[in-house]
Amino acid sequence: MNFLSLLEAVAPVFVIIGAGYALRRLRWLTSEADHTLLRLGVNVLYPCLIADSILGNPMLAEARNLLVPPLVGFGTVVFGFLLAALGARLMRLPAPSARSFTFTTGLYNYGYLPIPLVQAFYDRNTLGVLFTHNLGVEIALWTVGVWLLSGVPARGAWKQILNVPIVAIVTSAALNFGGVHAVIPDFLRQSMHMLGQSAIPLALLLTGATLADLIAGERTSCRIGAVVAANVLRLGVLPLAFLLLAKVAPVSVELQRIIIIQAAMPAAMIPIILAKHYQADSAHALQIVLSTTLLALLTIPLWLRFGFWWVGQ
């Protein structure tokens, strides 16, 4: 694939996020609707997408694709945290900003950006492996990540880990591995498929609307040096480490694809909310998320093109 074809595959994600931003500013998508739509997406649509991708997935009938992807997800996030923490220490950032820098820079966007890219490039087999990979990411986020962000060990982390999407991943994987998925009626499978296809467009619209609220609400000076450092780490150094892992690790082709796509991802958006919750520097988190996300429109095609060539796909 050339740069323009990759850019065309990436662009719809950003167009839908931009549409969500515009809809919020026009007040066509009001904040009063967010809670209901978010609950619908997280508790119904997203689990249906997960189940539709995992049930009947032959790749997830293999034990190694149930065990190795979560380990890779956990390990890559923790590695990102460690590298970002080193960067924050070298820059001697004040404690609240250092915690935000470490958490936000270290956590890549593992869901609503890579899912449509996997759907565009590959089949449901690879998408199912992505969801098992994200199980490890969630565990790293709510344990190591919250500990780094708050400065104290994460209490009750298991309550956050045991959310509806994670339960859907574990349950669907167990049913698939045990062959129970074969007895699920076709009309139920088709219903899950139809609902699941709505999950990502809705999530991207809400992401854009949330960004509009956060941008309007935050008024603070920008730490230019720290933001530049975050972009260099998130979109420069960490992708190289991920692609090295994809090249040398004895993993399946599907997981190799996931690692390549995750290597190109900008910072995740959830750190903005969690930074505010744990009294860290939420404005700094917002600056990192916005800058890496906007720059990623150009860097994602570049890293994907290089990554596919690097591993010989």
Side-chain angles (χ1 to χ4, degrees):
M1 287 187 179
N2 58 36
F3 176 82
L4 287 179
S5 63
L6 288 168
L7 183 60
E8 288 177 357
V10 172
V13 174
F14 291 87
V15 169
I16 297 174
I17 292 175
Y21 181 93
L23 290 172
R24 174 68 99 236
R25 296 303 300 266
L26 292 170
R27 298 184 180 180
W28 292 0
L29 177 57
T30 64
S31 57
E32 290 79 11
D34 285 2
H35 183 65
T36 298
L37 292 176
L38 185 61
R39 288 183 62 185
L40 173 66
V42 171
N43 296 325
V44 180
L45 303 182
Y46 194 44
C48 283
L49 177 62
I50 291 169
D52 182 52
S53 304
I54 293 179
L55 293 174
N57 189 325
M59 295 306 304
L60 298 180
E62 302 176 18
R64 70 168 186 165
N65 281 329
L66 293 176
L67 299 176
V68 177
L71 293 176
V72 170
F74 183 91
T76 51
V77 170
V78 172
F79 176 75
F81 287 153
L82 292 174
L83 190 61
L86 177 61
R89 185 177 182 86
L90 291 175
M91 288 184 290
R92 298 181 179 179
L93 295 174
S97 296
R99 299 202 309 270
S100 288
F101 180 93
T102 299
F103 186 62
T104 309
T105 305
L107 183 65
Y108 49 84
N109 193 312
Y110 59 95
Y112 295 143
L113 286 184
I115 288 173
L117 294 182
V118 171
Q119 290 175 318
F121 294 135
Y122 301 116
D123 52 18
R124 63 188 295 270
N125 294 351
T126 303
L127 185 59
V129 174
L130 172 62
F131 286 126
T132 58
H133 165 278
N134 287 353
L135 178 61
V137 175
E138 289 275 358
I139 294 172
L141 161 62
W142 295 109
T143 54
V144 180
V146 170
W147 170 51
L148 291 171
L149 186 62
S150 64
V152 296
R155 297 178 179 177
W158 64 271
K159 296 180 181 178
Q160 302 293 340
I161 295 172
L162 291 179
N163 53 49
V164 175
I166 294 302
V167 172
I169 293 172
V170 174
T171 303
S172 299
L175 292 174
N176 185 70
F177 189 74
V180 182
H181 67 278
V183 302
I184 298 177
D186 288 341
F187 74 89
L188 287 180
R189 294 287 300 274
Q190 183 62 23
S191 298
M192 286 190 295
H193 176 76
M194 293 175 66
L195 288 170
Q197 295 308 298
S198 306
I200 300 306
L202 176 62
L204 293 176
L205 286 173
L206 288 175
T207 297
T210 301
L211 284 176
D213 292 341
L214 293 170
I215 292 170
E218 294 286 0
R219 293 290 184 270
T220 186
S221 59
C222 180
R223 296 180 179 274
I224 298 295
V227 171
V228 171
N231 278 267
V232 170
L233 288 175
R234 180 69 272 158
L235 300 178
V237 178
L238 284 167
L240 288 173
F242 280 41
L243 294 181
L244 180 61
L245 174 66
K247 180 75 171 182
V248 303
V251 298
S252 66
V253 172
E254 288 75 16
L255 181 54
Q256 189 181 54
R257 295 168 177 169
I258 299 304
I259 297 172
I260 293 171
I261 290 177
Q262 297 290 19
M265 288 300 103
M269 296 188 181
I270 192 173
I272 303 171
I273 300 170
L274 293 181
K276 182 173 293 187
H277 178 75
Y278 287 104
Q279 287 78 52
D281 191 341
S282 59
H284 188 44
L286 175 62
Q287 292 160 9
I288 294 173
V289 170
L290 281 178
S291 59
T292 58
T293 300
L294 291 174
L295 188 57
L297 180 59
L298 297 177
T299 60
I300 287 175
L302 293 174
W303 278 121
L304 292 181
R305 181 170 170 77
F306 175 75
F308 295 148
W309 168 84
W310 171 248
V311 302
Q313 289 194 21

